[in-house]
Amino acid sequence: MSNAADEDRLNFPATERNRDSILHVLTPWLANVKQALEVASGSGQHLAHLAPRFPHVNWIPSDLDPAHRRSVAAWTANMENVAAPLELDAMAVSWAEIGPVDLVFCANMIHIAPWEACLGLLARSAEILAPRGALILYGPFMEDGRHNAKSNAQFDESLRSRDPSWGIRDLNEVTAIAAGHNLAFETKIAMPANNFTVIFQRPLSTG
């Protein structure tokens, strides 16, 4: 017999498919992390997969969509190292309610949101990341204005037809803006389905 929490759980097939690949890439970066923020947590399936495997990490989920926040809470119920999901806007001028964190993770958000959401994510992450903290993005990217697969070009067209402010972002542009916020490009890792994990890091010293 299902309960209310079960009924709140959303199930995104793509999240189920990519969660192990993301787990593999994040594992070395989470070794010394104490506080981690997930921006645009979606269904909560990523966090439900990660949190039990990294009990030393205090996870802060967030999402603007109340249905998503309910789903996150349902997926992570009884996980002591997961906070209640926050209503967090990537385009906000401040994330003052969040203290310093060691890692910010955001999957599949910046192409399904206005460009200003990507700009805000970069700026706000730079403000709250501790020295040597990492911003980790997952999703599709262009490079030098070119897609890395025909399917991504078609996906980009579909996104822009749904909302002109959406679209696959160019990694070169994202990297340049991140550098302006003192977030250095560390690496990019090819992932299944023509996606990438991209990692930026705040330096030990800003001086």
Side-chain angles (χ1 to χ4, degrees):
M1 183 175 179
S2 65
N3 57 36
D6 291 334
E7 292 171 4
D8 283 336
R9 287 187 182 188
L10 301 174
N11 196 313
F12 297 163
T15 306
E16 286 293 309
R17 288 194 298 270
N18 65 36
R19 65 180 193 173
D20 284 320
S21 299
I22 289 173
L23 169 67
H24 177 73
V25 169
L26 289 187
T27 292
W29 289 90
L30 288 166
N32 299 310
V33 166
K34 294 180 180 177
Q35 290 274 113
L37 169 69
E38 184 180 26
V39 178
S41 295
S43 65
Q45 289 162 272
H46 279 149
L47 198 49
H49 195 56
L50 291 167
R53 290 163 174 80
F54 301 95
H56 64 282
V57 180
N58 294 315
W59 297 89
I60 307 167
S62 70
D63 205 286
L64 268 182
D65 188 325
H68 288 179
R69 294 197 300 275
R70 289 192 298 271
S71 181
V72 173
W75 275 103
T76 60
N78 303 316
M79 293 184 184
E80 293 183 357
N81 61 329
V82 180
L86 298 176
E87 181 180 355
L88 189 68
D89 187 351
M91 294 190 285
V93 297
S94 172
W95 287 351
E97 68 270 37
I98 302 170
V101 298
D102 306 301
L103 184 141
V104 176
F105 174 60
C106 182
N108 287 326
M109 185 273 278
I110 64 173
H111 59 285
I112 318 177
W115 174 236
E116 288 76 14
C118 180
L119 298 178
L121 173 66
L122 296 171
R124 302 290 82 78
S125 295
E127 291 169 358
I128 67 170
L129 278 171
R132 300 298 292 165
L135 168 63
I136 301 182
L137 307 180
Y138 170 88
F141 288 91
M142 289 190 291
E143 291 185 271
D144 298 318
R146 295 189 296 271
H147 293 286
N148 66 333
K150 184 177 180 181
S151 59
N152 277 8
Q154 294 168 339
F155 181 41
D156 191 32
E157 280 187 27
S158 172
L159 289 171
R160 295 177 191 277
S161 70
R162 290 163 61 191
D163 188 321
S165 72
W166 294 2
I168 294 176
R169 309 307 177 185
D170 195 301
L171 182 56
N172 301 67
E173 189 172 4
V174 173
T175 298
I177 293 165
H181 292 293
N182 207 28
L183 292 172
F185 174 79
E186 183 67 27
T187 188
K188 70 171 184 179
I189 300 160
M191 304 291 283
N194 302 309
N195 290 308
F196 289 101
T197 294
V198 180
I199 302 173
F200 300 95
Q201 193 165 33
R202 189 170 175 234
L204 186 59
S205 171
T206 56

